[in-house]
Amino acid sequence: MVNAFLITLFSSVQARRQRVIFGLLKRRLTVSTEYWGLRYNLLTYVGLFPHLDQQVFNQRITQFVEQGLLIEIGTDTNQFLLTEKGLAAKQACQAQHYQIKYMTLATQPLSNVRDFQQAFWLANQVVSESSYQNKRYYPLQVDLQTKNLVKRWYQKMYKRDIISEWVTSITEFLQQLPPITANQLAATWVGHQIPGFNLEQLGLPTSWTEIDFYLWELDLFAYWQQYLSQKQDDKQALGILWELTQRQSFLSPSIRTTVQQISQGTSMTIISQQRHLKIGTVREHLLTAAIRLPKQDFPYDLFLTTYVVTYLQSHLVGNIDEWQFADVRTSNDPLEFFLFRLYEIYLTKRGERP
Amino acid sequence: MTQIDLKKVLQKKFGFENFKIGQEEILKSLMAKQSTLAVLPTGGGKTLIYQMMGALRPGLVVIVTPLLSLMQDQVARLNYLGEKQVIALNSNLTFQEKQFILNNLSRYHFIFVSPETLNQEPVKVALQQVMINLMVIDEAHTMVTWGQDFRPDYLALPQIHAQLNEPQLLLLTATATPNMMQEIVASFHKTSQNWFIYQQPVDRPNIFLHNEQLANESMKKQRLKVLIQTVQGPGIVYFTSRKLATSMAEWLSNETGLNVVAYHAGMDAISRYRVQQQFMQGDIDVITATSAFGMGIDKEDVRFVIHYHLSNDLANYLQEIGRAGRDGKQAVAILLYVTGDELIQFNLIDQSIPSEFAIRDYLDRDGKTKVTEEQIKLLIEYRHQGLTTTSIIKLFTDRKQLRQNKLQHMIDYAQAKTQLRNRISQHFGNDTQHLPQDTESVGVTAWQPESLNLVRQETSGHITKVSEWSQQLKKLFNLQ
């Protein structure tokens, strides 16, 4: 099922690690996984399939290899390139399946989009039923946190003209979409005596699978998310619900503190001592922040001094993906690897890709 | 508590005038503190029994239930019936959510839990701290039908029951043979002296039984099409594979112009919700489904259930056809069979139960290629119980034999030329003397929908079309 989509995550010019792609989709992240996610330009897909099964995923990759779509670079490297046939398959997939439009511009982690989507579904049903004064219905079964969140939200809405606020906000957003898309999206929603439409009932392309449907819906909610985040002052019922669902941020509070302290001139050693963090953790914080933040928001020049850059430049040439730390290493100081990796991140952010 | 009191609660709290058959006896037994095994048909009102116990006594009602998808349905149904303090505890929850629930158990009235989750130490510890009103094991036949193949934690249920200080038990199932009942009750040996067993006859007189043998697959497919076109819906067609259920929905929709939709456990929660609600609401003519469909569904007016493939055994078959005619009106169960269909089921048994070679390979040589993760879990569980490789192999071989025997009963039924009703009732140890004689038939030409007044009337008038979003909003939010 995920087949068609998975092949599109590979490249014919950049060997990609199976383990990294799985980690990204499932949101099992290490600094290394995220770094490679950045290199592959796949960070958009972090947490796209939280229930992905590792065995199933590995089987798919094996199948791709058997079908001659992927080829492993060397033996047991876990790195794969699309073959010519694989590239054709990828292009065919892209033509037949939904192409993500909005998620790539996300300013929020995907989990927030998903939480917003779930909360919206339930809230929309609650508001719809309340407009018919009906209390006897099968509520959509969303995850517990979302359910509680919607409950809390609805209690707060008491005494407000929730139906008209709700309809106004929905209308505003639907007007942003192409009319056909707006019709289709609204048709998926559940409400009073309205069970909502599934994929095959929506008049979407017949080549689409459940995965396309999932990506299509999620992508539209990512767009809605961006739309709402631009009008932060919106205190309508929907705006409030949206705010409640924005629980994750790209950087954890602890990582953000580390970046702040570094920017203010505190050294890694002092941070480590003050906050009882291992120095390795502080370095990981910084690399994670560098990967996740836009280039201008991270103080690269504090680390990548002219001396460091000159040294690295003179020892490293060619494709970044093939650089070896061993070529620049001069001692056992782990800071060296930190600088090496940070430099790679910096160059990637500057737009250097294979 | 007297009979009148029970009825009063029923009327006051639940708005029903009368009990369904068996409910009152079971409730009385429960109020008299007897552990109870109840064999009630699907739609026989099992939910009401534990819901009522929740109303009659304080404490938490713990309901152990096998399927995650079913759990969601059950929570939704209790919500629908006005119960707010209902929670499902299972592997879909995050760690924090689970912590929250366990720390606040006393706030809930009903908790649904999978055997796997129930067997976790923190869950048991938390449950030991609260007063348990009743421990319900729903679909209790799974303890002896597929519990041991896939779900080692089913084996632990009697032990867990003891660890929770032996709360009163209510075991519910729609289908159990006398042997199965013995097996189930015996596993809770400590409390076995005090059981109340209620069994309602399995025969459903309003469901006409009809079997057909077809020469080959393509004739079966064509026959299915004709049946769907001619027999009054709404109906359900059961398949063994998700893939086939999905592709047949598309084919049948195209061929018949009816609204045929697939349903299986591989779909996400909201898609399943939409299909269920569309079906409940009468927007769908026919559902093509795997056995996952129906366990939590209360649709009264299903007129036919067709089996395109065999069920695993007669118990499952009965459970599935039991979704027809819950309103008591005429319905029909049709079994389509082609010689060799049973191979699918035999293969499923082989896949789910590891072979002697695979067991030896894993246990003695640490080979992992021939066994699945679930099987490994089960093998480890048996090892922990101190069993030798040879005795583990025997367990599995016996198990396989048992399942093959059960399947054989199903095959015999599919191949039978007469006595369909008798076979089923006999299989479940029921008296066959008073069974109706003229409510079954075998053979393609032996039965016509006219004879039961089940001719498809309307052509489907509700092929869905997406309307303007502004119109949709008006309907969603009652705006004129």
Side-chain angles (χ1 to χ4, degrees), chain A residues 1 51 53 55 121 124-125 127-129 131-133 135-148 151 163 166-167 170-172 174-175 179-180 182-203 210 213-214 217, chain B residues 71-73 75-82 84-87 92-94 96-98 100-101 108 259 261-262 266-275 277-278 280-281 283-284 296 298 371-373 464-470 472-480:
Chain A
M1 226 171 32
H51 302 296
D53 181 88
Q55 249 180 337
W121 280 339
N124 191 63
Q125 182 187 26
V127 175
S128 170
E129 293 288 1
S131 76
Y132 286 87
Q133 278 107 42
K135 286 186 175 165
R136 209 175 145 89
Y137 58 94
Y138 285 86
L140 271 171
Q141 294 299 304
V142 296
D143 68 88
L144 184 67
Q145 261 188 319
T146 308
K147 198 170 170 179
N148 289 337
K151 259 188 201 168
I163 296 161
W166 191 256
V167 174
I170 290 178
T171 304
E172 266 175 29
L174 289 176
Q175 282 167 342
I180 293 177
N183 297 345
Q184 288 164 327
L185 182 64
T188 63
W189 298 340
V190 171
H192 180 69
Q193 293 180 357
I194 299 175
F197 283 2
N198 270 333
L199 166 65
E200 56 283 354
Q201 300 167 315
L202 287 167
E210 292 292 332
F213 183 42
Y214 167 74
E217 275 187 289
Chain B
M71 218 181 272
Q72 303 282 320
D73 291 342
V75 171
R77 175 136 43 117
L78 283 185
N79 287 159
Y80 175 76
L81 294 169
K84 298 273 181 281
Q85 304 310 324
V86 189
I87 194 79
N92 286 347
L93 299 174
T94 64
Q96 288 84 350
E97 290 174 339
K98 212 185 232 168
F100 177 84
I101 296 170
Y108 298 103
N259 193 12
V261 179
M267 293 158 61
D268 61 31
I270 188 164
S271 301
R272 273 182 306 176
Y273 179 95
R274 291 180 188 126
V275 174
Q277 294 304 312
Q278 287 176 16
M280 294 288 283
Q281 200 169 294
D283 294 343
I284 292 175
D298 275 332
V371 280
T372 64
E373 264 177 59
T464 45
K465 206 165 178 274
V466 176
S467 56
E468 292 276 330
W469 60 265
S470 52
Q472 296 185 50
L473 293 193
K474 279 185 186 157
K475 215 178 141 220
L476 269 168
F477 303 108
N478 200 10
L479 309 167
Q480 287 320 319

Side-chain angles (χ1 to χ4, degrees), chain A residues 31-43:
Chain A
V31 176
S32 164
T33 301
E34 281 199 71
Y35 167 72
W36 287 108
L38 175 74
R39 287 298 305 159
Y40 304 163
N41 200 14
L42 292 178
L43 288 181

Side-chain angles (χ1 to χ4, degrees), chain A residues 15-43:
Chain A
R16 293 184 176 174
R17 288 165 176 79
Q18 173 179 351
R19 180 174 48 73
V20 169
I21 293 182
F22 177 79
L24 294 172
L25 294 175
K26 181 108 182 161
R27 202 172 186 282
R28 277 205 193 139
L29 301 178
T30 61
V31 176
S32 164
T33 301
E34 281 199 71
Y35 167 72
W36 287 108
L38 175 74
R39 287 298 305 159
Y40 304 163
N41 200 14
L42 292 178
L43 288 181

